[in-house]
Structures are given as C-alpha cells and as structure tokens.
Amino acid sequence: MVIRDDLVDALQAARAVVVLTGAGVSAESGIPTFRDAREGLWAKYDPLELATPEAFDRDPETVARWYDWRREKCAAAKPNPAHRALAGLEKQLAARERGFTLLTQNVDRLHQAAGSENVVELHGTLWVWRCTRCGVEHEERDVPFREYPPRCACGGARRPGVVWFGELLPEQALQQAHDALEACDFFFSIGTSAVVEPAASFIHAARRRGAKTVEINRDPTPISNAVDWSMPGKAGEILPALCKRTFAI
Ligand code: BV8
Ligand code: ZN
C-alpha cells in the first residue's frame, strides 16, 4: 500500500484532527458490519428494520435477542490494530498539543478498550440499557441476558442505549461533533459506507472549512471521489502503517 509523502506532511502539520469511524473498523475484531450483519439466524432480518423503535414496539423479544447476539460478539471481541493505531495517534497529537476527536458510529466501545479517550458515541452503545417506562439507565456487561427483553425493577421493558433509525442523536454528542468539525483542519473517514445521516454529512462540513480529508475503506463509497486521499483497503493494515510513517509509532 502506498503512503504518500504529501499525506504524511499534511498530517504532521495538522492542528486539529477529527476521525469518523464506522463498522468497518471493528470488522477485523470479528464483529460483522451492518452490511455483513445478515449472518446465521439473523440473515433473514434487515438491520435497518430491526434498529427502529417501531420494531421494538412490535416485537421487543426479537429486537432484544438481536442486540444480545451482538453483545455476545462484542464481549468476545478485542481491539484490533486499527483501534490501537487511533489510540496511539491521539496520544502523539496530544503530546504535540494538537486537537483530536474520535466520532464513532460504533456501539461496541472497542475504541475505548484500545485506550482512545476523546471518543464521541454518535449512536450510543449496546452496553447501556434504558427502561422504557421509568427511564433508568444501567451499564449491562453480563452476557447473555436471562430474559428478552430484560426487565427493569419497575417492571418496564428495557431497551439498548443506542440511537435507532428515526431517532435524534444525543444533543451532547451532536454538539461535541459540531464543535470538533468547526475547529478541524484534518478529517479521516474510516470503515464507513458513509450513507447514514447526519454522520455522512460531517465530511462535507469539514471540507467547507478547508480541512484536508482522507478516506480509509475496503470498498468505494459516495465520498471516495470527494476526499484529498482515498486509501482503499483494510483499516487494520493502513492505519498502523500511516501512523508509523507519520509519527514513527
Ligand atoms: C435522525 C445504532 C432525525 C443502532 C445506527 C437524510 C436523508 C436520508 C435519510 C435520512 C436523512 N436524515 C435522516 C435520515 C434517516 C436515517 C438515515 O440516515 N437513513 C439512511 C439509511 C439513509 N438517519 C436517522 O434515522 C438518524 N436519525 O436523522 O433523526 C430524523 C429522523 C427521521 C427523518 C429525518 C430526520 C439516526 C441514525 C442512527 C441509526 N443508528 N446505529 C445499532 O447499531 O443497532 S446506524 C448504524 O448503521 C451504524 O451506527 C452506522 O451508522 C450505520 C452502518 O454504517 P457503517 O458503520 O458505515 O457500516 P456499513 O456496514 O454500512 O459499512 C461498513 C464499511 O466498512 C463498508 O463500506 C466496508 O467497505 C468497510 N469495511 C469493511 N471491513 C473493513 C472496511 N473498511 C476498512 N477496513 C476493513 N477491515
Ligand atoms: Zn423502570
């Protein structure tokens, strides 16, 4: 894979870096991406349909079982070289008093497990569950659940602390994302098909601000021809090589 000198120079000169990640970053940890999530008994379900409040109202057991299947996969997963390279990049930039914000669409918390600190969970996490009656939230790490859906002490059904299609993103996460995009001069899009809004529009906000843009993705996406550097391939191979060339880490 070719790591271009002008990319290395631009990243070394960057003052405020924003990274947007998607399911492709966790693929090398054994977690199926949204596109590839149609595995085994879940093959007949459309993730875009299951990840909705309507589906949970209609069939909370099936939706809770799907999320518990994903929790079991995430529980068994370890951060991969892409996660670790991003944690290392954050530290290198911090050492140079440069800005770094990791905006993730992933709900698996593998970035945090790899040591990333300034992480914004745009779509929530499947490790926190919320009561649909009293609103109480708890971190739930034990897998699998004993009942579907899991019940709250008040008797209410509990749902995953994720953002479903048709639901607004958490206000605080959106504000953190906009503040980071306002200040950024370097934007990475990594392991995302770049179709789900509003995250898919972040790169356009960064470009409008004159930020340099890079895409690292296995397959072409709607933004592949809009970025300054398009790097097709595996994030777990490209990111460590880029960080090694740029910051000798
Ligand atoms: C909202 C949490 C207000 C749950 C998720 C404007 C136009 C059209 C539609 C809309 C619009 N505005 C809003 C919408 C509706 C909708 C939307 O965007 N729909 C899409 C399908 C068109 N957006 C919403 O509903 C958002 N809410 O806007 O509220 C509103 C509401 C209604 C109408 C107007 C306004 C909420 C969106 C969040 C939904 N929740 N996740 C859960 O996880 O269960 S989204 C979920 O799907 C993920 O978080 C992620 O965002 C998305 C999946 O995308 P990716 O992560 O990119 O994964 P994918 O599998 O698609 O691609 C993986 C990529 O990785 C591939 O390209 C592959 O090539 C690459 N890859 C694979 N392996 C590797 C790799 N790359 C590198 N290395 C590898 N090894
Ligand atoms: Zn409750």
Side-chain angles (χ1 to χ4, degrees):
M1 129 239 338
V2 180
I3 306 267
R4 287 176 39 182
D5 295 345
D6 58 349
L7 166 57
V8 171
D9 298 344
L11 184 51
Q12 282 172 339
R15 309 209 59 72
V17 174
V18 169
V19 175
L20 175 68
T21 63
V25 166
S26 292
E28 293 161 69
S29 295
I31 299 178
T33 68
F34 248 64
R35 249 130 258 284
D36 307 339
R38 312 188 78 157
E39 249 184 52
L41 58 83
W42 296 105
K44 63 179 182 292
Y45 293 90
D46 176 355
L48 296 186
E49 262 144 46
L50 276 175
T52 64
E54 295 78 19
F56 190 76
D57 294 343
R58 210 175 33 246
D59 184 355
E61 178 179 350
T62 298
V63 171
R65 283 185 185 285
W66 182 55
Y67 277 97
D68 206 30
W69 171 71
R70 291 170 63 190
R71 290 171 78 248
E72 290 191 79
K73 283 197 172 286
C74 293
K78 294 276 173 288
N80 65 56
H83 294 112
R84 290 197 291 276
L86 288 171
L89 177 62
E90 178 176 13
K91 287 185 177 49
Q92 289 299 322
L93 289 166
R96 293 166 175 77
E97 284 149 12
R98 309 288 174 80
F100 178 92
T101 306
L102 205 168
L103 308 174
T104 190
Q105 301 168 83
N106 300 343
V107 295
D108 55 35
R109 288 199 166 163
L110 285 177
H111 284 302
Q112 293 93 328
S116 286
E117 288 169 8
N118 192 12
V119 180
V120 178
E121 295 182 317
L122 298 168
H123 298 161
T125 178
L126 48 64
W127 293 121
V128 169
W129 285 60
R130 182 167 69 241
C131 175
T132 56
R133 184 186 293 169
C134 72
V136 164
E137 285 197 343
H138 284 306
E139 173 142 357
E140 288 280 358
R141 287 281 176 170
D142 306 346
V143 290
F145 284 129
R146 281 181 298 287
E147 58 182 354
Y148 299 99
R151 291 274 157 194
C152 173
C154 79
R158 305 180 68 215
R159 57 159 286 174
V162 299
V163 178
W164 279 331
F165 288 98
E167 293 185 327
L168 294 174
L169 274 57
E171 194 47 45
Q172 194 208 0
L174 263 183
Q175 193 55 52
Q176 288 174 293
H178 286 147
D179 296 349
L181 290 165
E182 274 307 299
C184 89
D185 60 0
F186 205 99
F187 183 96
F188 280 94
S189 179
I190 308 174
T192 181
S193 54
V195 293
V196 172
E197 298 290 351
S201 296
F202 289 170
I203 189 161
H204 304 306
R207 283 172 59 78
R208 277 195 298 278
R209 281 200 38 74
K212 295 285 183 216
T213 56
V214 181
E215 181 184 56
I216 299 173
N217 208 61
R218 184 192 64 196
D219 307 303
T221 74
I223 64 167
S224 299
N225 302 327
V227 293
D228 300 302
W229 296 278
S230 174
M231 307 180 79
K234 288 184 159 191
E237 293 167 6
I238 295 173
L239 266 174
L242 174 59
C243 291
K244 193 167 187 337
R245 270 288 309 280
T246 309
F247 296 115
I249 48 175

